[in-house]
Amino acid sequence: MDFEHIPVLLTETIELLDCKEDGIYVDCTVGGGGHAVEIADKLTTDGTLIGIDQDLAAIEAAKESLSNAECKVELVRDNYKNIDRVLNRFGIDSVDGLLFDLGFSSHQIDTAQRGFSYQYEAPLDMRMDQRASRTAADLVNDLSQSELTDIIAEYGEEKWASRIAEFIVRYRQDKPFKLTTELVETIKAAIPAGARRSGPHPAKRTFQALRIAVNNELEVLTKTLDKIVPLLKSGGRMAFITFHSLEDRIVKHKFKELAQDCICPPDFPVCACDEEAEVEIITKKPITAQQKEIDDNPRARSAKLRAAEKL
Ligand SMILES: C[S@@+](CC[C@H](N)C(=O)[O-])C[C@H]1O[C@@H](n2cnc3c(N)ncnc32)[C@H](O)[C@@H]1O
């Protein structure tokens, strides 16, 4: 199967990264290499591009798409939360740019057997890293009703979360969940018919919630944001493309915190905290896709791009 994925906000992202031809850049979610190829294009033989992805299929696809790059290319199958270790392995202390194009690729969702999609019958899997031990089936079979409610409500922003969790627990009393379709039918049974008639597919939010939980996406993002600024050279840039409000909120708040000079309470007469801003936010408002891009690639509709520069 070809690796089908249209890179989102490509021109805007490359512009914001403002690549130096001899710089070191890390695409932390390299996927099929859509953004990485454009970054590599800006680099000469003195430049380096490191691509990280936890999904083997992505690394194989990126190898292919970057095969003609002039710059040095290193591809690493790992979780981006280990970026410090990855750089260490190549003897690199700091880099000129970091890109995070978060979430899943079209390839992942379109590969039925990966179990990301509510549209195909497949094992209920959803692991981006196929070496990870815990699948979506493990979560729906093992978590308590209240844990499931919390996950579906928080990560899926699903108002029917507690009913869905209740129906999941009732279903699994007979037999464990194995397939996506079993979960889809359970969700449909839990959401009243009237509420199901409008809006997105009834399983969309629950599937999003489980995918986030299986891959620990928000915790990984938060912990990575906490440690990446020292990995950037002064003047180096980091860009994040997010696809839902939970991710965007995490990036937005961390950028704000990193860009803050003084964190003393407003009624302090003089600064006593000695805090200094570490970055300058380049995108005062997140960049979103133009209508033309959304028409060509509906996935771009929810994309938000934020970038900051290390001071
Ligand atoms: C939206 S796709 C990236 C697409 C890529 N920019 C392109 O244009 O081809 C996101 C990729 O990030 C990977 N990914 C998500 N979370 C990750 C993590 N914590 N560590 C490493 N890779 C991750 C996924 O496996 C997926 O391949």
Side-chain angles (χ1 to χ4, degrees):
M1 185 181 178
D2 284 344
F3 197 100
E4 297 283 346
H5 181 87
I6 307 172
V8 165
L9 293 168
L10 181 59
T11 313
E12 295 85 343
T13 304
I14 300 302
E15 218 172 278
L16 280 173
L17 282 174
D18 192 20
C19 299
K20 297 186 181 72
E21 57 181 27
D22 59 350
I24 305 174
Y25 292 85
V26 188
D27 185 337
C28 297
T29 51
V30 72
H35 290 93
V37 166
E38 293 298 315
I39 296 173
D41 231 37
K42 302 274 177 209
L43 310 182
T44 61
T45 46
D46 294 328
T48 302
L49 172 76
I50 298 173
I52 301 176
D53 205 294
Q54 58 184 338
D55 187 331
L56 181 61
I59 292 294
E60 281 169 354
K63 211 177 276 174
E64 174 96 26
S65 41
L66 287 159
S67 57
N68 292 325
E70 255 187 50
C71 64
K72 193 170 172 206
V73 175
E74 303 283 1
L75 293 169
V76 183
R77 185 183 182 195
D78 206 334
N79 192 302
Y80 66 64
K81 71 179 179 192
N82 300 321
I83 180 172
D84 39 2
R85 271 199 338 228
V86 171
L87 294 182
N88 225 331
R89 206 198 298 170
F90 297 115
I92 295 170
D93 297 330
S94 55
V95 303
D96 297 279
L98 295 166
L99 171 62
F100 296 80
D101 176 17
L102 298 171
F104 56 89
S105 66
S106 305
H107 180 77
Q108 286 166 329
I109 199 130
D110 292 340
T111 308
Q113 69 268 25
R114 301 289 300 269
F116 285 104
S117 171
Y118 45 78
Q119 280 166 343
Y120 310 115
E121 179 165 84
L124 196 49
D125 189 325
M126 302 198 200
R127 288 168 303 167
M128 288 191 196
D129 184 339
Q130 300 94 332
R131 299 165 301 186
S133 54
R134 208 176 54 160
T135 65
D138 293 328
L139 294 189
V140 293
N141 288 324
D142 298 343
L143 294 183
S144 69
Q145 186 170 327
S146 76
E147 286 169 324
L148 283 168
T149 304
D150 289 349
I151 285 177
I152 299 168
E154 194 184 332
Y155 298 163
E157 299 176 288
E158 168 61 84
K159 67 175 178 185
W160 298 102
S162 67
R163 253 178 84 83
I164 293 171
E166 182 190 328
F167 276 58
I168 288 175
V169 168
R170 198 182 304 158
Y171 180 96
R172 75 188 189 195
Q173 278 163 3
D174 271 347
K175 57 173 182 152
F177 283 92
K178 284 203 177 109
L179 299 173
T180 48
T181 39
E182 293 170 305
L183 182 61
V184 171
E185 289 312 313
T186 307
I187 296 166
K188 281 185 179 166
I191 302 178
R196 261 190 276 133
R197 265 195 286 277
S198 59
H201 188 288
K204 185 175 181 205
R205 294 172 189 278
T206 304
F207 269 60
Q208 170 182 302
L210 287 170
R211 192 204 82 224
I212 291 174
V214 167
N215 298 291
N216 227 347
E217 291 176 31
L218 302 184
E219 194 190 324
V220 165
L221 175 62
T222 306
K223 288 200 168 148
T224 305
L225 271 161
D226 281 343
K227 69 175 180 184
I228 51 174
V229 177
L231 303 177
L232 275 174
K233 292 179 187 170
S234 171
R237 292 185 167 191
M238 53 180 169
F240 287 80
I241 305 171
T242 63
F243 290 88
H244 55 77
S245 56
L246 302 167
E247 281 174 342
D248 184 56
R249 211 174 303 147
I250 291 171
V251 175
K252 180 174 139 184
H253 286 158
K254 189 66 196 182
F255 273 18
K256 214 170 147 195
E257 185 189 313
L258 291 167
Q260 211 169 11
D261 252 331
C262 165
I263 54 166
C264 293
D267 56 345
F268 268 34
V270 285
C271 171
C273 71
D274 284 340
E275 285 288 327
E276 273 180 29
E278 295 178 66
V279 307
E280 183 190 345
I281 299 171
I282 310 169
T283 47
K284 297 296 172 222
K285 284 214 163 90
I287 293 173
T288 53
Q290 307 276 334
Q291 193 54 47
K292 163 89 176 73
E293 179 174 358
I294 297 170
D295 292 342
D296 293 345
N297 180 14
R299 195 182 138 75
R301 184 183 303 280
S302 53
K304 285 192 175 150
L305 168 62
R306 295 184 187 269
E309 179 172 308
K310 172 131 175 220
L311 292 168

